[in-house]
Amino acid sequence: MIPFSNGFGMYGQLKQAINNKPPRQLTFCTDFDKTIVINTFIDRGWKQVEPTEAWNLYWANTSNCRSIFNVGNGVSLNDYQLINHFPKHYELVRKDLLVRNIKKYRKELEKEGNPLAEKCEVIQGNHKITRYLHLDFIPVTYGLPSDYNLFVEEYRRYPNSKWILKPTSKSQGEGIFLINNLSRLKKWSRESRNYLHHRFTNKDSYVISRYIDNPLLIGGKKFDLRIYVLVTSFRPLKAYMFRQGFCRFCAMKYDTSVAELDNVYVHLTNVSVQKRGVDYNRLHGGKLGMQNLKLYLEGTRGREVTERLFREIQWLIVHSLKAVAPVIANDRHCFECYGYDIIIDADLKPWLIEVNSSPSMTPTTRNDGILKRKLLENMLSVILPPNGIPDARWRKTPNDRALGDFELLIDETRLCTEDS
């Protein structure tokens, strides 16, 4: 497929294609050579075309989506066209912006006197700290280099804690590492000075977060949850959660010793990292279905606490979306499927680690392929009207049958109706 960066300069062609009449046959285009994506559309009878031709649905990469919505390009989508990203999706998926928006959201609720922003005092180590009672679902996080002094203050209060450093705009575990002392961070900073100067002058940055060092373990191994969340509108907010999420396990048993601090196969759950290890199981891909996790927790912790855990997971998803809703550029042509990464600690408290705008549609196992195919099919059933023809004027209110394995998280249009 033709990337905008190589030819859209060819914006005239794109504009021409968009100004054309609707294609007689339903059409799609994609920037990805992903079999699951392509076959899902083809099996529905859709025809694959180029982005410069008349299309009904564009499964785009994020940069091409931003290019389409760039005001200077003079492109305006028709009612019969849908695209799979919101223009300012990065307000949710960039690690630094996600944290900034959640902090701002909490402060605004606090200023309003909203009970959701209630605080409480807890003992942490030898210190008494104040934290949010209901909205404490992201680890303590600072941006680097801008918040370096604030981070140092926090580190000195808790000198025995571990921290995890991540590039804000990278994915799949790239560039992530752990530190347990300031000298290690300073050493990294010195060695990376030229690189950092280049990165920061290009408006990139890093985040450093307190490491969740008491994760819930199964079979002695650390895992996180990958949950798919479909958003069809940010204002009003409409979001759905796919019931068939899964756990992603580390291949090696969890070990908090300093000797294993750099061992990615102990600490990082990303499949792209784990599949490079000799202990990676290619049969099940280091994955466990969410329903099996629920059964395990009900058997070991009880049904009541398990149900509370999953209510809290839904809570944090909804409020992370509410935090970014005011700054996301909402557009009726857009929908987006986000990959939420959540870690559960030993006390069964969920922590939001990050959100992905383009969760992988490449299957790692046969079962993974089945799951992702179902995810795509269900997604199309939710975003398309009952007649199956894309229409941006449709209010995206699917019936229960169309939802399939999606469950409604929030629909603010219903809330308004119920309140009136």
Side-chain angles (χ1 to χ4, degrees):
M1 294 300 151
I2 304 172
F4 289 115
S5 56
N6 287 356
F8 274 79
M10 300 162 74
Y11 274 113
Q13 292 184 41
L14 176 63
K15 197 171 180 181
Q16 175 73 33
I18 287 175
N19 288 335
N20 284 340
K21 293 179 180 179
R24 292 182 180 181
Q25 180 183 0
L26 291 176
T27 58
F28 74 99
C29 55
T30 178
D31 298 326
F32 303 98
D33 185 20
K34 303 297 184 187
T35 304
I36 286 180
V37 173
I38 293 170
N39 287 350
T40 299
F41 283 102
I42 288 176
D43 289 349
R44 281 176 166 250
W46 292 43
K47 178 185 176 185
Q48 186 173 6
V49 297
E50 296 292 330
T52 51
E53 300 178 72
W55 47 265
N56 292 107
L57 194 149
Y58 188 178
W59 194 271
N61 64 43
T62 53
S63 60
N64 280 354
C65 181
R66 286 197 297 273
S67 296
I68 284 178
F69 286 104
N70 185 327
V71 176
N73 294 328
V75 173
S76 179
L77 296 183
N78 286 303
D79 287 338
Y80 63 83
Q81 294 178 306
L82 301 177
I83 192 165
N84 67 318
H85 293 292
F86 287 89
K88 293 180 70 177
H89 65 281
Y90 48 82
E91 295 284 354
L92 178 64
V93 303
R94 260 189 63 141
K95 301 172 186 68
D96 54 341
L97 298 182
L98 170 64
V99 171
R100 186 182 74 181
N101 286 319
I102 289 175
K103 287 180 178 178
K104 182 180 178 183
Y105 175 66
R106 296 190 299 201
K107 288 291 185 186
E108 288 176 350
L109 290 177
E110 200 175 342
K111 202 178 295 182
E112 295 168 3
N114 193 308
L116 288 178
E118 183 182 349
K119 292 182 175 179
C120 64
E121 288 189 337
V122 297
I123 302 298
Q124 188 167 309
N126 298 321
H127 301 267
K128 183 183 287 187
I129 63 169
T130 302
R131 67 173 181 82
Y132 288 93
L133 183 61
H134 306 293
L135 297 173
D136 180 40
F137 55 77
I138 53 171
V140 174
T141 300
Y142 299 96
L144 295 181
S146 58
D147 295 334
Y148 179 77
N149 291 333
L150 292 173
F151 161 69
V152 171
E153 286 180 25
E154 182 73 10
Y155 173 82
R156 286 175 176 158
R157 279 199 290 268
Y158 308 101
N160 296 319
S161 57
K162 294 186 182 72
W163 295 80
I164 186 166
L165 189 73
K166 302 178 181 181
T168 57
S169 299
K170 299 292 183 182
S171 59
Q172 298 183 334
E174 184 180 346
I176 296 176
F177 65 94
L178 276 64
I179 66 165
N180 64 342
N181 57 60
L182 275 179
S183 60
R184 181 175 166 85
L185 180 62
K186 289 174 181 176
K187 180 175 182 290
W188 170 81
S189 180
R190 284 194 303 272
E191 292 173 349
S192 309
R193 188 160 292 155
N194 292 335
Y195 174 70
L196 284 178
H197 175 73
H198 170 74
R199 300 293 284 174
F200 292 143
T201 54
N202 280 281
K203 300 184 179 180
D204 206 347
S205 57
Y206 289 72
V207 292
I208 189 163
S209 304
R210 180 173 285 125
Y211 185 61
I212 308 299
D213 59 4
N214 66 330
L216 176 68
L217 305 178
I218 297 180
K221 296 177 180 179
K222 178 183 174 181
F223 68 93
D224 72 356
L225 263 180
R226 164 54 61 90
I227 296 178
Y228 297 106
V229 175
L230 173 63
V231 178
T232 58
S233 170
F234 275 98
R235 290 188 304 278
L237 183 58
K238 290 185 183 182
Y240 306 85
M241 187 176 90
F242 193 58
R243 293 189 182 94
Q244 295 189 40
F246 51 85
C247 308
R248 306 182 301 180
F249 280 82
C250 290
M252 297 179 67
K253 290 197 172 183
Y254 188 63
D255 188 335
T256 59
S257 67
V258 174
E260 297 293 350
L261 199 63
D262 292 328
N263 192 336
V264 294
Y265 304 116
V266 168
H267 295 288
L268 302 186
T269 56
N270 311 67
V271 174
S272 55
V273 170
Q274 292 297 325
K275 69 182 182 182
R276 299 198 298 262
V278 295
D279 295 317
Y280 179 70
N281 187 314
R282 299 190 179 278
L283 184 63
H284 56 64
K287 294 179 179 178
L288 178 74
M290 193 153 64
Q291 298 306 318
N292 287 329
L293 172 65
K294 286 182 178 180
L295 291 173
Y296 170 81
L297 291 175
E298 287 176 1
T300 56
R301 301 294 187 98
R303 176 171 292 183
E304 185 178 340
V305 294
T306 301
E307 289 176 350
R308 182 171 68 243
L309 165 65
F310 281 91
R311 284 197 302 271
E312 289 175 358
I313 288 172
Q314 292 188 348
W315 165 275
L316 75 81
I317 292 172
V318 167
H319 285 281
S320 68
L321 294 172
K322 283 188 171 186
V324 302
V327 292
I328 293 283
N330 195 58
D331 190 287
R332 61 198 179 100
H333 299 89
C334 301
F335 65 96
E336 192 149 13
C337 181
Y338 298 101
Y340 270 71
D341 294 342
I342 293 167
I343 284 182
I344 304 166
D345 70 22
D347 299 319
L348 292 196
K349 175 178 173 58
W351 296 92
L352 176 57
I353 303 304
E354 62 183 75
V355 184
N356 298 272
S357 60
S358 296
S360 173
M361 289 298 155
T362 302
T364 53
T365 66
R366 182 176 178 276
N367 286 339
D368 193 46
I370 293 170
L371 181 149
K372 288 172 178 173
R373 176 66 183 254
K374 181 172 283 190
L375 169 66
L376 275 164
E377 289 173 344
N378 282 186
M379 203 186 309
L380 293 175
S381 295
V382 173
I383 64 169
L384 298 177
N387 63 8
I389 301 173
D391 188 349
R393 297 168 299 180
W394 187 54
R395 295 182 62 190
K396 299 189 180 75
T397 50
N399 58 37
D400 291 342
R401 184 177 178 183
L403 284 177
D405 280 318
F406 277 104
E407 60 180 304
L408 180 67
L409 282 176
I410 183 169
D411 182 346
E412 288 183 336
T413 60
R414 292 189 184 185
L415 295 176
C416 292
T417 304
E418 291 167 2
D419 292 342
S420 58

